[in-house]
Amino acid sequence: MIRAHTVDQVRAAEALLLAELPEGALMQRAAHGLAYAVLDFLGSAYGRRVVLLVGSGDNGGDALYAGVVLARRGVQVEAWLLSEQAHAGGVAALRAVGGRVVRLDTPLVPRGYSTSFRPDVVVDGIVGIGGRPGLRPNAVAALAALEGIPVVAVDVPSGVDVDTGAVDGPHVTAALTVTFGTHKGCHLLDPAALACGALELVDIGLPEVEPVETTSTTEWASMEALQPADVAALLPRPGPASHKYTRGVVGIRAGSATYPGAGLLSVAGATCGLAGMVRYDGDPAVNDWVRDRHPEVVGAGRVQAWVVGSGSDTAAEQALRDSLADEVPVVVDADALAFADLARGRPAVLTPHAGELARMLGVDRAAVEAESLSFALRAAHEYDAVVLLKGRHTVIAEPGGRVRVTTSGTPWLATAGAGDVLGGVIGALLAGGLDPFDAASVGSWLHGAAATQAAAGGPIVASDVAAALPSLVAALIASLDTE
């Protein structure tokens, strides 16, 4: 499992480690890890060229000492100092091994810079985890002068919000981000995660710092990204004495004469095999479609979870009221989200995309897309329910501040009906016994991974995702059994 930590948590862990290490040892660990990551990125050392963009903090020191390692391996290294307070020891060490140091003292180009020195890689050591969103003009000018050259970011891409993943103003867009000790929120949360490129985690011996619960409506207490082994361990699995009822029964109230496909796709997601039975109790106009395509689905009756809202049109409110009356967990999607306040305080998973969440909170969609974490946490608090905010990196938040981010998936998953399948999968997991937070995060991971498997690098439609789920689940279980 990937666990991310806040800036305050990272600083607390670093303080504990620094108390045990000789002065400068922690920076050397980070610098060596960074240098070897850059060498791997370059593919060779001798004769390659690297420019270091160096700010005033320890992040710049990491870059300078990494430059020392690179220079000793035959790399031509040039450091552009963006501040008068650059790490003095790092500057001296780089000069001592033949590295070139220039200062960016105008908003245009560094003094002494020659356009003949075109680097293979730029190392972003402008600001670290203490930085604020946006960049100063001289940093923007430096990046503009080096446009088109791949960037390796030190710890985080400079200019992003480290805890929230928000972006406000100019920032670095990296091909690779080399981070130290632990992941940070911006590595998982869009839009900043888009700016990270590939991620490489360097172990510097950072001790674990336990997260502190928060009462904030927009700050997270803990953040995780499930990995295949985590998903496999959480999957509900039948035992020798299991039967269809003990494995869980999920009910679907989705689709309408106007949108019959939404009902069919919700059923398709629910019939992935993770629940023992699927019941369809939606619009009668969709019944024949369901029976024709999913003969294993039965009619109305008792269930352990409901999936409500996809394509329900004008029936969404009553369908949600009827489902909540059964006092079982509910997935609230699409048309039913307009009535999500009815589910407040219930065991529920609300599954909006950015536009739907914007309507639920009375804000602009662009604001939600810019700060997905903050608005997901706000909605979880206001509706007292688990909120799954769909996106490239889906955010799952619960009222207490726990957050999971789904990083599985493919851009081809942006296709009509994919959300209907997701709701069915989550409903099956709820019926199978998972709590809403686990059901939402496991269901989202499976949904993304099934899409990647089905796409195989090309386009897909939503029904392809549903069809890929059973084989994906089988592979996950097999991998767990062989460990």
Side-chain angles (χ1 to χ4, degrees):
M1 183 180 295
I2 292 175
R3 288 188 171 86
H5 291 81
T6 66
V7 171
D8 288 345
Q9 290 165 357
V10 172
R11 284 176 170 160
E14 287 178 341
L16 292 173
L17 186 56
L18 284 168
E20 300 175 354
L21 294 175
E23 185 177 356
L26 184 59
M27 183 172 286
Q28 290 299 327
R29 288 183 183 181
H32 278 74
L34 171 62
Y36 290 118
V38 172
L39 286 170
D40 286 344
F41 187 85
L42 286 169
S44 62
Y46 191 78
R48 306 304 291 270
R49 296 175 171 183
V50 172
V51 162
L52 315 175
L53 298 182
V54 180
S56 60
D58 288 347
N59 193 259
D62 294 338
L64 287 164
Y65 281 114
V68 172
V69 177
L70 293 171
R72 286 174 174 158
R73 295 289 297 273
V75 178
Q76 298 179 51
V77 179
E78 184 167 291
W80 295 8
L81 307 187
L82 305 180
S83 169
E84 295 285 346
Q85 287 78 45
H87 193 283
V91 170
L94 182 61
R95 282 179 167 146
V97 295
R100 186 164 183 256
V101 178
V102 297
R103 190 174 302 280
L104 188 65
D105 55 2
T106 78
L108 297 177
V109 294
R111 185 171 62 243
Y113 173 61
S114 169
T115 55
S116 64
F117 187 91
R118 293 296 290 175
D120 300 294
V121 166
V122 175
V123 175
D124 162 30
I126 303 170
V127 292
I129 62 174
R132 300 172 65 86
L135 293 173
R136 293 180 177 178
N138 63 343
V140 175
L143 290 166
L146 298 165
E147 186 176 0
I149 298 166
V151 177
V152 175
V154 182
D155 214 5
V156 299
S158 295
V160 306
D161 190 294
V162 178
D163 280 345
T164 71
V167 171
D168 183 13
H171 61 86
V172 167
T173 298
L176 170 68
T177 296
V178 181
T179 192
F180 310 118
T182 182
H183 290 83
K184 289 78 180 176
C186 64
H187 298 143
L188 302 178
L189 295 160
D190 281 336
L194 273 169
C196 289
L199 282 172
E200 183 169 335
L201 178 66
V202 173
D203 183 4
I204 56 172
L206 206 65
E208 180 68 29
V209 174
E210 290 299 319
V212 178
E213 288 192 14
T214 177
T215 57
S216 170
T217 62
T218 57
E219 296 178 359
W220 49 281
S222 66
M223 186 181 297
E224 301 168 337
L226 297 182
Q227 301 303 291
D230 308 310
V231 175
L234 286 167
L235 287 171
R237 297 173 61 178
S242 295
H243 52 78
K244 60 188 177 185
Y245 296 111
T246 59
R247 291 192 58 213
V249 181
V250 57
I252 307 294
R253 285 177 170 145
S256 61
T258 307
Y259 305 108
L264 288 171
L265 290 168
S266 296
V267 169
T271 55
C272 60
L274 292 170
M277 180 184 291
V278 178
R279 296 184 182 276
Y280 183 76
D281 189 22
D283 193 310
V286 185
N287 275 328
D288 289 343
W289 291 59
V290 171
R291 280 198 300 269
D292 288 345
R293 289 162 177 76
H294 301 282
E296 67 276 16
V297 175
V298 298
R302 294 183 62 183
V303 301
Q304 278 75 56
W306 281 107
V307 178
V308 183
S310 298
S312 293
D313 203 12
T314 57
E317 180 180 4
Q318 190 59 50
L320 181 56
R321 289 184 182 277
D322 292 343
S323 300
L324 291 169
D326 286 342
E327 298 187 345
V328 298
V330 179
V331 178
V332 184
D333 188 27
D335 295 325
L337 289 168
F339 312 100
D341 59 309
L342 297 173
R344 184 175 284 110
R346 302 290 196 94
V349 179
L350 315 183
T351 60
H353 55 58
E356 290 164 337
L357 189 64
R359 289 192 291 273
M360 290 166 65
L361 296 175
V363 299
D364 290 335
R365 176 174 186 147
V368 174
E369 292 174 336
E371 297 185 53
S372 58
L373 171 70
S374 297
F375 285 104
L377 283 166
R378 175 178 158 185
H381 179 80
E382 289 190 15
Y383 286 91
D384 194 16
V386 170
V387 171
L388 182 151
L389 175 56
K390 302 169 190 172
R392 187 189 77 100
H393 281 189
T394 289
V395 177
I396 301 102
E398 66 169 11
R402 278 202 303 167
V403 174
R404 283 186 180 148
V405 181
T406 301
T407 58
S408 65
T410 167
W412 295 109
L413 187 53
T415 185
D420 305 330
V421 173
L422 173 61
V425 176
I426 296 171
L429 291 164
L430 286 172
L434 296 192
D435 66 47
F437 189 63
D438 281 343
S441 48
V442 170
S444 178
W445 190 95
L446 290 173
H447 186 247
T452 301
Q453 177 179 302
I460 52 173
V461 293
S463 55
D464 296 332
V465 180
L469 284 163
S471 62
L472 171 65
V473 171
L476 288 168
I477 291 172
S479 68
L480 188 66
D481 289 343
T482 56
E483 287 183 356

